Amino acid sequence: MTTPHLLLDRAKVERNADRLRTHVASLGSTLRPHVKTSKSVDVTRLLFDGGTGPITVSTLREAEAFAANGFTDVLYAVGIDPHKLDRVLALRRAGVDLVVLLDSVAQARAVAEAGVPALVEVDCDGHRGGVTPGAPEVLEIAAVLGEHLRGVLTHAGESYFCYTEPELVAAAEHERTTAVGVAEDLRAAGFPAPVVSVGSTPTAHFARDLTGVTEVRAGNFVFFDLVMAGIGVCTVDDLALSVVTTVIGHRPDKGWILTDAGWMATSRDRGTAAQPTDQGYGLVMTEDGTLIPDLLMTGASQEHGVLSLRDGSTAPFPDLPVGTRLRVLPNHACATAAQHDHYDLVDSSTAWPRVNGW
Amino acid sequence: MTTPHLLLDRAKVERNADRLRTHVASLGSTLRPHVKTSKSVDVTRLLFDGGTGPITVSTLREAEAFAANGFTDVLYAVGIDPHKLDRVLALRRAGVDLVVLLDSVAQARAVAEAGVPALVEVDCDGHRGGVTPGAPEVLEIAAVLGEHLRGVLTHAGESYFCYTEPELVAAAEHERTTAVGVAEDLRAAGFPAPVVSVGSTPTAHFARDLTGVTEVRAGNFVFFDLVMAGIGVCTVDDLALSVVTTVIGHRPDKGWILTDAGWMATSRDRGTAAQPTDQGYGLVMTEDGTLIPDLLMTGASQEHGVLSLRDGSTAPFPDLPVGTRLRVLPNHACATAAQHDHYDLVDSSTAWPRVNGW
């Protein structure tokens, strides 16, 4: 097989999925996985014991591809562009219960006119979009949506910047109370708002109470990555995805090993740069999955990676001749996977396609 | 058409190509464009008046796709992984004059055994791979390659960090003298080394003398980008590529406009962050291509972009309702284009596919 390519450890996906499903079920809620990380029908089936179930999508192309494979309970969790309602309606006419997201009266008017059910996005931590809890817009939007209002959604984007268990537990509880509070405001005003949707990979794992929450969204957990390990949501051993690469050169004068996986294969994501331990473009393992002490991918051009020892390391410089195969663990699995159109599976000749594009 | 998507201005590509072709020809050399930026047969044909010509590729998949479209003079300018020689040989047997690159005796042995012609990569500025000019490895590699030695190649990677015309002119001249010097060393030792290949988009434009250089490589110039404008190789008006996006929300409390183009559409590349003027994730234009004063894409999650005014700006905050279409000019055209599988053309219903993957 040529390099670079994505390598997926199916057993780790199943282990990661079991862990979160069990946790969410133990708190009396339901998981609605976000397929934006894998963009793979095959990976997502692993989360439903080979079947289908409720999913969250980040693009309408994902919605269309998953619908074609039997996933008919779909939340499109990016604020709706009114131009996209034609495609939403086509899916709904085909029997897909596709729900959209919005946070303005302007969007609500377009969505109500089209007759599409929607969740109202609520901001819980100033990270992205969403109406402010308690602001008059909440009831104005609900009034415009009328029977098309399904409920509320929030996302604790700030949880990606929490580094202790108490902070993560607090972020999860704040996410829950924000969403439940707005749902209660709506119900008090006469709007049913049956759905209360929360989630992010960190808060989903650290929630201690999901009272009032009808569904939990998380995406990254299927693969995990070095950012999640840095936050403490997983260990490095939980990472299910790596980029396989080949050594193509050496610069002993600089302490560099050159590989054929540049940013085209790993993405430019450097999420761990903002964390206490910067992992460069990723940790490096042997082909069989053993970490090489202190070896990082520290540089990237389009089709070249640079590997070198972590600053201050006393580890021996590894002997990795031209032609040696290695694996690089990603900073951000969503971004790294996005550079590829399929997954190769560990110990298998199977390839699973991704649904890229919009 | 749904957003986000890539929009390409064909007239600007033709103008950019004419400029560099004319410059290189005026100095008595030949352009061997690097197709890694566009990865598009259609875009590359514009550089050869609708026909074919010598090209540089960054992946064997590019080589295969371009060969299938009549491009038979191909340089694969990433250090060769010996595992890839089977695919190289298959193309050569199909009549493609595919030449590989190497910088070690180990690679030279594999390449000579396979009977594939090669250039020796020479390091001119410590940026990536390559043998050191004057080092004994140069002649050792040549001896192993024997009749398979085609010549030398260098790439002035450091030119991306030059900001004045004298620095750029000096980088180009240093690139030339390094490559020509090693070729002369080889010839003095009895190796013909007919090919002397140099290039980067900055040095290709600022070369004042190409004596002894048989070919100039450049890739980015077909589209240009904000990094190149920051270096001074082009103006913002020369940028041929943008990402079309739609406004999906507002956060007036934060001075944010939210769009449906996140890093999935633009890439995570923040090349201008290291330049005197940081352009965020890109400058923002109206749908018809007029720059909106001081509006930048300043944040990105997977499918959300955040637009805000440049720090300290006194420009009026633009009124851009939900549903407004905008264009974002990229930091790094190679990276942004890599997030997409095709180009939509300005004033045309034509779509040109890209050759992604390896």
Side-chain angles (χ1 to χ4, degrees), chain A residues 81 83-84 358, chain B residues 1-9 240-248 259-262 264-266 283-289 297 303 305 307 323-330 336-337 340 342-348:
Chain A
D81 163 15
H83 297 96
K84 297 193 174 90
W358 293 270
Chain B
M1 197 175 300
T2 197
T3 53
H5 68 91
L6 280 182
L7 186 66
L8 184 61
D9 188 328
L241 191 72
S242 57
V243 174
V244 182
T245 183
T246 303
V247 174
I248 59 169
T259 73
D260 67 356
M264 188 64 82
T266 62
L283 296 175
V284 183
M285 305 194 296
T286 60
E287 189 175 16
D288 69 0
M297 179 170 159
E303 298 290 349
L307 312 183
T324 305
R325 292 275 165 96
L326 300 169
R327 293 195 210 172
V328 179
L329 293 172
T336 299
H340 300 259
H342 72 280
Y343 303 93
D344 292 304
L345 269 68
V346 171
D347 297 331
S348 164

Side-chain angles (χ1 to χ4, degrees), chain A residues 3 245-250 256-261 284 295 305 307 319-326, chain B residues 79-84 107:
Chain A
T3 54
T245 183
T246 304
V247 174
I248 60 169
H250 299 87
W256 289 354
I257 297 164
L258 298 173
T259 73
D260 67 355
V284 184
L295 193 65
L307 312 183
D319 179 26
L320 301 168
V322 165
T324 304
R325 291 273 163 95
L326 300 169
Chain B
I80 188 71
D81 163 15
H83 298 96
K84 298 193 174 93
Q107 288 166 304

Side-chain angles (χ1 to χ4, degrees), chain B residues 115-157:
Chain B
V116 170
L119 302 183
V120 177
E121 184 173 8
V122 176
D123 176 32
C124 70
D125 57 13
H127 196 69
R128 206 161 58 196
V131 294
T132 304
E137 286 86 351
V138 176
L139 296 182
E140 290 168 20
I141 290 168
V144 172
L145 284 176
E147 63 181 317
H148 306 295
L149 175 69
R150 274 281 176 93
V152 301
L153 173 148
T154 196
H155 168 65

Side-chain angles (χ1 to χ4, degrees), chain B residues 309-327:
Chain B
L309 291 178
R310 191 185 293 281
D311 280 350
S313 171
T314 57
F317 196 81
D319 179 26
L320 301 168
V322 165
T324 305
R325 292 275 165 96
L326 300 169
R327 293 195 210 172

Side-chain angles (χ1 to χ4, degrees), chain A residues 1-5 36-37 39 58-62 76-84 87 101 103-104 106-107 121 123 125-132 246-251 253-254 256 258-260 263-265 267-270 301-304 306 322-325 332 334-336 338-342 354 356-358, chain B residues 1-5 36-37 39 58-62 76-84 87 101 103-104 106-107 121 123 125-132 246-251 253-254 256 258-260 263-265 267-270 301-304 306 322-325 332 334-336 338-342 354 356-358:
Chain A
M1 198 176 299
T2 198
T3 54
H5 68 92
K36 79 184 184 78
T37 303
K39 293 188 182 246
S58 68
T59 65
L60 288 178
R61 188 172 285 183
E62 289 166 24
Y76 172 40
V78 176
I80 189 71
D81 163 15
H83 297 96
K84 297 193 174 90
R87 287 170 74 191
L101 184 68
D103 66 357
S104 68
Q107 288 166 302
E121 184 173 7
D123 177 31
D125 57 13
H127 196 69
R128 205 161 60 197
V131 293
T132 304
T246 304
V247 174
I248 60 169
H250 299 87
R251 291 292 303 253
D253 54 321
K254 292 174 176 285
W256 289 354
L258 298 173
T259 73
D260 67 355
W263 56 252
M264 186 66 80
S267 89
R268 272 285 194 205
D269 199 288
R270 287 278 291 104
S301 49
Q302 185 162 336
E303 297 291 349
H304 294 79
V306 176
V322 165
T324 304
R325 291 273 163 95
H332 187 178
C334 310
T336 299
Q339 303 297 111
H340 299 260
D341 65 1
H342 72 281
R354 281 174 52 87
N356 292 328
W358 293 270
Chain B
M1 197 175 300
T2 197
T3 53
H5 68 91
K36 78 184 186 78
T37 304
K39 292 186 184 252
S58 67
T59 65
L60 289 178
R61 189 172 284 182
E62 289 166 24
Y76 173 40
V78 176
I80 188 71
D81 163 15
H83 298 96
K84 298 193 174 93
R87 286 169 75 190
L101 184 67
D103 65 358
S104 68
Q107 288 166 304
E121 184 173 8
D123 176 32
D125 57 13
H127 196 69
R128 206 161 58 196
V131 294
T132 304
T246 303
V247 174
I248 59 169
H250 299 87
R251 291 293 302 254
D253 53 322
K254 293 174 175 285
W256 289 353
L258 299 172
T259 73
D260 67 356
W263 58 252
M264 188 64 82
S267 89
R268 272 285 193 204
D269 200 288
R270 288 276 293 101
S301 48
Q302 185 162 336
E303 298 290 349
H304 295 80
V306 176
V322 165
T324 305
R325 292 275 165 96
H332 187 178
C334 310
T336 299
Q339 303 298 110
H340 300 259
D341 65 1
H342 72 280
R354 282 174 50 86
N356 292 330
W358 292 271

